[in-house]
Amino acid sequence: MRRGSYGFDAPWSLAGLVFGAVVLLALSLASFAFDVPAAGVAFLLGALYTAASAASYLYTTRRGKFLVWAAELDRLRGDERLLDLGCGRGAVLTLAAERLPEGRATGVDLWRSTDQSGNDESVTKANAEAEGISVELVTGDMRELLFEDESFDVVVSALAVHNIPDADGRERAVREAHRVLRPGGLMLIADFQHTPAYEDTLRALGVVDVRRRDLGRRYWYGGPWFRTWMLEARKPA
């Protein structure tokens, strides 16, 4: 179990699902009260469906994503220098730092609460302290990383690159991730949008050891229509 406080991913989306389920349930009850059973059944089914989506979303943001990333990061040797792009409150960053007793974990973020509830550098620091680990935090834009070329052994990112609104900006972020990654280094980018474009960008940079894979239902944000994909790549040595 995690000891830090990691909030909710895209909290307004989760709130919308919960609100929708409540409204549909109210409409179902009203329909039955006014003796319109067909509408009541339809609204009830909609309420159950929306409630199930909210439950899926809640599970992913509070537990599922941690299990997925723990398995992904178990491959670390323990001496790597790792960079987390869009680290937020440190969900992935702290998991990585726990696996780097002889390495170093660095997180970069612009600390915007619209993407994650309570997203703030002070919260991330507090979470690292709660987990009993040390991390480096940098305020910065993943499209213009303030690190030298080939500075990191591993670059990770969890549902952050898609928050860049334009395709050119997302491409720049992936190119920057590639630039700061050392030859032979590992890149892991989890996202539910644009991962084919990320792959195209890496292949254009000469990366051939790259693949996309579905992370499964533990990383669904409401259902399979909001599944998360992992882009895994190795920079040529």
Side-chain angles (χ1 to χ4, degrees):
M1 296 296 293
R2 309 304 295 158
R3 292 181 291 273
S5 175
Y6 297 99
F8 298 87
D9 300 325
W12 290 111
S13 297
L14 176 59
L17 287 172
V18 173
F19 179 75
V22 171
V23 169
L24 288 168
L25 180 59
L27 289 172
S28 175
L29 294 174
S31 297
F32 284 121
F34 285 96
D35 198 24
V36 189
V41 170
F43 284 129
L44 179 60
L45 291 175
L48 294 174
Y49 180 82
T50 307
S53 294
S56 167
Y57 195 118
L58 182 62
Y59 172 78
T60 292
T61 194
R62 300 298 287 180
R63 180 164 174 79
K65 68 179 183 182
F66 294 96
L67 297 175
V68 170
W69 273 105
E72 295 289 339
L73 295 169
D74 278 346
R75 72 183 79 183
L76 297 178
R77 298 186 309 269
D79 61 352
E80 297 94 337
R81 188 177 181 195
L82 177 144
L83 175 65
D84 185 358
L85 301 176
C87 65
R89 297 171 63 144
V92 177
L93 184 65
T94 55
L95 282 172
E98 290 173 349
R99 290 159 173 78
L100 298 172
E102 300 177 6
R104 185 180 185 184
T106 301
V108 174
D109 207 294
L110 290 173
W111 319 110
R112 292 174 176 168
S113 59
T114 55
D115 303 324
Q116 188 178 59
S117 62
N119 190 13
D120 188 86
E121 183 177 359
S122 63
V123 175
T124 310
K125 288 180 179 178
N127 284 339
E129 292 175 359
E131 303 294 355
I133 48 88
S134 175
V135 297
E136 178 185 11
L137 299 178
V138 176
T139 299
D141 192 326
M142 69 180 77
R143 293 167 292 187
E144 298 180 7
L145 295 173
L146 302 177
F147 304 106
E148 296 181 358
D149 296 355
E150 303 177 0
S151 298
F152 295 93
D153 303 292
V154 183
V155 175
V156 302
S157 183
L159 276 71
V161 180
H162 78 270
N163 290 319
I164 299 173
D166 59 288
D168 288 344
R170 293 189 294 271
E171 179 179 343
R172 285 168 55 197
V174 175
R175 286 179 173 273
E176 280 289 272
H178 177 269
R179 178 184 66 79
V180 302
L181 187 64
R182 291 173 180 162
L186 174 66
M187 185 184 300
L188 296 170
I189 299 179
D191 219 328
F192 59 80
Q193 291 179 309
H194 312 302
T195 50
Y198 307 161
E199 181 177 356
D200 290 343
T201 297
L202 290 174
R203 291 193 181 280
L205 291 168
V207 180
V208 294
D209 187 1
V210 55
R211 64 189 178 114
R212 289 190 311 119
R213 49 190 169 83
D214 182 358
L215 289 175
R217 59 186 178 183
R218 290 184 301 180
Y219 227 138
W220 287 356
Y221 282 89
W225 52 90
F226 266 112
R227 67 183 63 195
T228 304
W229 297 82
M230 179 65 81
L231 182 69
E232 177 179 344
R234 285 275 181 186
K235 188 173 183 177

